[in-house]
Amino acid sequence: MDVHHAPVPDRTDERPDAPRRTLLLVDDEQNILAALRRLLRRDPYHILTATSGQEGLDVLAGHAVDVIVSDQRMPGMLGADFLRKARLLYPQTMRIMLSGYTELQAVTDAVNEGAIFKFLTKPWDDQQLRGHLAEAFRLKGIDDDNARLNEQLREANLALAVANDAMQALLHRQQHQISRDEVSLGIAREVLQFLPLPVLGLDEDGMIAFINTAAAQLFERGAALLGNEAALALPQLFQAHADTQRKVTIGGKSYAVALHAMGARSRSRGSLVTLCLDGTPP
């Protein structure tokens, strides 16, 4: 296999990050390959050559090729058959046939099958050939960009799906925790509700947020106290905020009043006030 690597000319108009553009020339006549290399020496192509269809397939197996230019009449394998195999094995390539023999049926079949992008006859027009090559590389670049964007989109969608699954799992855990907290809160409220000990709950602004049955029975207004400011509704208890524990007289009985600040071991805010019958005459 005769593989030649033509030097890539210094092109100031090429992007520094542009991928290397590789061209494969396949022809059984060495003078044709040499003429094509001379013609394209000023173009920014990395050129590989082969002298038969099988050698062309061997080159494709070892190199990333963008555009192929193949002769039709070659020993062992016709150009149309070579380009069909190239399309089957390397569909991302752009394929051009350059031949001095216009075998209409073979060329037409290859074009209709999508094996050939362009068909040019020998002798070729230099500018026309260079123009078709430039167009082929341009279209190959668009295809590569689309493939890269599709891959990036696929990766982004995959990452989004993973993030969405993680968020759903987090929301499920949070919802489960909220449900557990609601159950725990319901149990706690029920326990406090049926304690024989009068209990009042104050929010962080000093409003009465909870009053159990024992407390409702102790005070004349009972449950009507809910939502009122403790300092105004129960001034004798509100004074207990000055001290964590003190004694008050309610209905002729002495009670020990204790104030418990909430939030030390939870996210609760406010305070809990308990009244315990002291048993000592005022």
Side-chain angles (χ1 to χ4, degrees):
M1 177 174 59
D2 180 19
V3 178
H4 302 278
H5 299 262
V8 179
D10 182 17
R11 291 281 298 253
T12 57
D13 58 339
E14 291 293 307
R15 294 185 294 110
D17 60 342
R20 195 178 195 187
R21 300 193 287 181
T22 301
L23 171 65
L24 171 61
L25 303 175
V26 184
D27 199 302
D28 61 321
E29 298 183 46
Q30 289 287 356
N31 62 320
I32 296 295
L33 295 176
L36 289 172
R37 286 198 300 269
R38 284 194 302 271
L39 171 64
L40 302 173
R41 67 184 182 275
R42 296 183 181 278
D43 295 313
Y45 307 142
H46 174 57
I47 299 177
L48 307 175
T49 62
T51 57
S52 70
Q54 185 56 54
E55 289 182 359
L57 293 175
D58 294 339
V59 173
L60 290 171
H63 300 80
V65 173
D66 299 303
V67 177
I68 304 170
V69 175
S70 174
D71 186 26
Q72 166 66 354
R73 285 285 186 91
M74 295 184 295
M77 185 185 303
L78 292 176
D81 294 331
F82 161 65
L83 292 177
R84 285 190 183 95
K85 292 184 178 181
R87 174 180 179 269
L88 179 64
L89 297 173
Y90 310 99
Q92 73 280 5
T93 57
M94 301 294 294
R95 297 162 298 276
I96 297 175
M97 181 177 288
L98 181 64
S99 178
Y101 301 90
T102 56
E103 298 175 355
L104 184 60
Q105 189 60 48
V107 172
T108 300
D109 291 344
V111 171
N112 290 338
E113 294 168 10
I116 298 176
F117 166 64
K118 293 287 185 180
F119 176 79
L120 301 175
T121 59
K122 297 178 182 176
W124 60 83
D125 178 271
D126 289 352
Q127 293 303 316
Q128 184 186 44
L129 175 59
R130 293 181 67 195
H132 285 314
L133 285 175
E135 176 68 6
F137 276 107
R138 187 185 71 82
L139 294 176
K140 178 61 166 57
I142 292 175
D143 288 343
D144 289 346
D145 289 342
N146 289 337
R148 183 171 58 255
L149 291 175
N150 286 335
E151 179 62 20
Q152 291 174 352
L153 180 60
R154 188 191 68 82
E155 293 176 355
N157 287 337
L158 179 60
L160 183 61
V162 171
N164 185 63
D165 289 343
M167 181 178 294
Q168 290 295 330
L170 176 61
L171 290 175
H172 178 74
R173 291 195 300 270
Q174 290 179 339
Q175 185 61 45
H176 182 65
Q177 184 62 45
I178 290 172
S179 298
R180 292 182 59 184
D181 290 345
E182 289 177 347
V183 171
S184 299
L185 178 61
I187 293 173
R189 289 179 66 89
E190 189 170 354
V191 169
L192 290 175
Q193 194 65 252
F194 292 102
L195 277 178
L197 184 72
V199 178
L200 296 94
L202 309 183
D203 64 16
E204 57 186 338
D205 297 321
M207 307 293 289
I208 300 175
F210 173 80
I211 180 168
N212 73 347
T213 302
Q217 293 173 349
L218 179 62
F219 300 103
E220 294 180 358
R221 287 177 289 170
L225 293 171
L226 288 174
N228 290 287
E229 188 175 350
L232 299 178
L234 299 171
Q236 68 274 37
L237 297 185
F238 183 74
Q239 293 174 1
H241 282 68
D243 304 306
T244 57
Q245 190 166 355
R246 57 173 295 171
K247 293 181 180 180
V248 297
T249 300
I250 301 174
K253 295 180 180 180
S254 178
Y255 291 87
V257 181
L259 178 67
H260 310 275
M262 301 176 68
R265 298 183 180 179
S266 68
R267 291 177 295 178
S268 302
R269 296 292 182 266
S271 57
L272 203 63
V273 180
T274 61
L275 293 88
C276 183
L277 191 61
D278 185 51
T280 302

